[in-house]
Amino acid sequence: MAKVYLTRRIPDKALTLLQKENIEFEFNPKDEPPSEASLKREITNVDGLICLLTEKITPGIIEAGKKLRVIANIAVGFDNIDVRKATEKGIYVTNTPGVLTETTADLAWSLLMATARRISEAERYVRAGKWKIQWNLMFMTGQDIYGKTLGILGLGRIGQAVARRSKGFNMRILYYDENRTPELESELEAEYADMETVLRESDFITVHVPLTEKTRNFIGEKQLNLMKKTAILVNTSRGPVVDEDALYEALKEGKIAGAGLDVFKIEPIQMSNPLLTLDNIVLLPHIGSASAETRTKMAVIAVENAIATLKGKVPPNLANPEVLKVRPPTLR
Ligand code: GLV
């Protein structure tokens, strides 16, 4: 009987699928990531690992999984997994793309709007009992969104969903992506531009690239200097894609107007992070895909990916297809 280890309890709807397939499972009962030592211990004898993005699946952990055939990440991003090592060992790595696209696009828009209209700052003001004058002409004035230019960096699934939502706001859409997709340009009424033009001309810039060695510090001092003084940056991808020190300086010096971040270089954010001292930033605890429906579906998809692999099939969301050459999907 195949056996799977889950690094957290997941909804019963997903666990039931394992039961139906007679796959034995065990999960970390704590609501926090297991330590590296305990993860190494737990996976020595299992065929599959179902984990979250909080688990750093290092070469050492992969080596410890002597029988491991699949690592099913409950996330679209899989930069937490040493994919090269997994591939080398013939281990399938899977993710959960698609299902969280709309939910994450909603959050990118929530951040964009909250930053433009100073929602968090205004709410803090009310709760702190500072609202003493009923209405003042220039009080808490933010920025309009309607009719402005939206710059999308990375026009993948989520970037496209963000673009679709901009229709009601009558925006000009600029995008930059490593790969230009002319078909999408007409559908989304989006203009392709080089990165510099997107940075220079956009009022709102939203980042939707995966974290890779190429995209680390994708937005740094140079890029922030190109942006308009009135521009707002939104990041719902991965923290290290933005150079936080450069962003802090830019926000503090008024080189850009604001930022909305759901992701950080170090998560959870350290209380010593200077970004916390700024008012022109909205900070969220990595909740891009956090609707109950979507998170449940993500767990189900991860389980389905694990089951498919353990049944000797190519899983629907194989993130390292090159592994098929190392280990074809045959039954053991
Ligand atoms: C969340 O950040 C994900 O990658 O799914």
Side-chain angles (χ1 to χ4, degrees):
M1 191 195 267
K3 191 168 173 189
V4 161
Y5 181 70
L6 300 107
T7 59
R8 229 62 58 81
R9 190 181 172 111
I10 59 173
D12 287 347
K13 191 172 173 194
L15 288 178
T16 316
L17 300 176
L18 291 170
Q19 280 158 346
K20 270 198 205 138
E21 296 292 339
N22 276 331
I23 294 175
E24 212 184 306
F25 60 85
E26 236 172 83
F27 53 80
N28 164 26
K30 296 196 197 134
D31 204 18
E32 58 188 56
S35 67
E36 179 162 0
S38 103
L39 190 47
K40 277 185 177 163
R41 212 174 34 247
E42 296 294 352
I43 68 164
T44 31
N45 234 347
V46 300
D47 308 274
L49 172 67
I50 298 179
C51 59
L52 306 191
L53 57 86
T54 44
E55 281 77 74
K56 300 278 165 269
I57 309 299
T58 58
I61 289 177
I62 293 172
E63 284 289 356
K66 300 269 177 271
K67 291 172 63 191
L68 204 58
R69 297 186 59 198
V70 57
I71 302 171
N73 215 31
I74 312 185
V76 63
F78 49 90
D79 48 279
N80 56 311
I81 300 171
D82 194 310
V83 178
R84 200 191 48 76
K85 182 75 184 175
T87 306
E88 196 184 294
K89 303 288 277 180
I91 297 170
Y92 289 25
V93 175
T94 67
N95 65 341
T96 63
V99 67
L100 48 71
T101 301
E102 304 301 337
T103 310
T104 308
D106 285 347
L107 193 88
W109 265 95
S110 308
L111 269 175
L112 188 157
M113 296 179 80
T115 312
R117 296 299 301 272
R118 303 170 62 181
I119 301 291
S120 302
E121 191 186 345
E123 211 222 355
R124 282 196 294 274
Y125 190 88
V126 172
R127 287 185 186 268
K130 292 185 185 164
W131 186 22
K132 303 288 186 209
I133 297 167
Q134 186 193 1
W135 199 89
N136 236 343
L137 194 61
M138 298 309 282
F139 171 66
M140 278 283 167
T141 48
Q143 295 190 35
D144 278 324
I145 300 166
Y146 190 87
K148 296 279 182 72
T149 298
L150 174 65
I152 300 178
L153 298 175
L155 197 66
R157 294 184 200 83
I158 300 171
Q160 291 167 39
V162 168
R164 283 193 192 97
R165 281 161 177 69
S166 71
K167 289 293 158 241
F169 292 86
N170 189 30
M171 296 176 103
R172 172 185 180 214
I173 304 172
L174 291 177
Y175 84 96
Y176 168 75
D177 193 293
E178 259 193 349
N179 306 305
R180 183 172 176 177
T181 29
E183 320 79 81
L184 284 174
E185 288 166 29
S186 40
E187 183 207 322
L188 300 171
E189 294 175 74
E191 297 163 45
Y192 178 82
D194 57 31
M195 174 112 168
E196 191 171 321
T197 308
V198 175
L199 292 167
R200 275 190 204 287
E201 296 191 12
S202 302
D203 298 299
F204 300 96
I205 292 178
T206 180
V207 186
H208 302 285
V209 294
L211 174 63
T212 63
E213 274 327 301
K214 267 202 232 158
T215 60
R216 198 170 285 278
N217 293 330
F218 187 54
I219 304 289
E221 189 183 351
K222 178 167 162 243
Q223 290 70 26
L224 290 159
N225 283 340
L226 290 169
M227 288 168 65
K228 293 183 182 179
K229 269 191 165 12
T230 50
I232 283 173
L233 175 73
V234 172
N235 186 15
T236 52
S237 63
R238 285 290 183 270
V241 164
V242 174
D243 176 343
E244 275 178 15
D245 296 335
L247 178 64
Y248 171 74
E249 281 308 312
L251 289 168
K252 191 161 174 285
E253 305 299 327
K255 289 186 196 167
I256 68 168
L261 305 181
D262 184 41
V263 286
F264 301 88
K265 198 164 149 195
I266 299 175
E267 295 178 4
I269 196 167
Q270 307 290 288
M271 289 318 283
S272 57
N273 190 322
L275 292 174
L276 287 163
T277 64
L278 301 172
D279 255 334
N280 53 347
I281 185 164
V282 177
L283 308 160
L284 297 180
H286 202 148
I287 54 168
S289 59
S291 73
E293 302 99 303
T294 292
R295 287 283 169 88
T296 304
K297 284 185 203 154
M298 287 164 69
V300 166
I301 289 173
V303 167
E304 286 171 349
N305 280 316
I307 292 174
T309 311
L310 297 179
K311 287 174 93 175
K313 297 185 189 148
V314 177
N317 309 111
L318 185 60
N320 60 339
E322 58 283 7
V323 76
L324 295 173
K325 287 199 210 100
V326 184
R327 189 201 285 255
T330 45
L331 270 172
R332 287 205 304 182

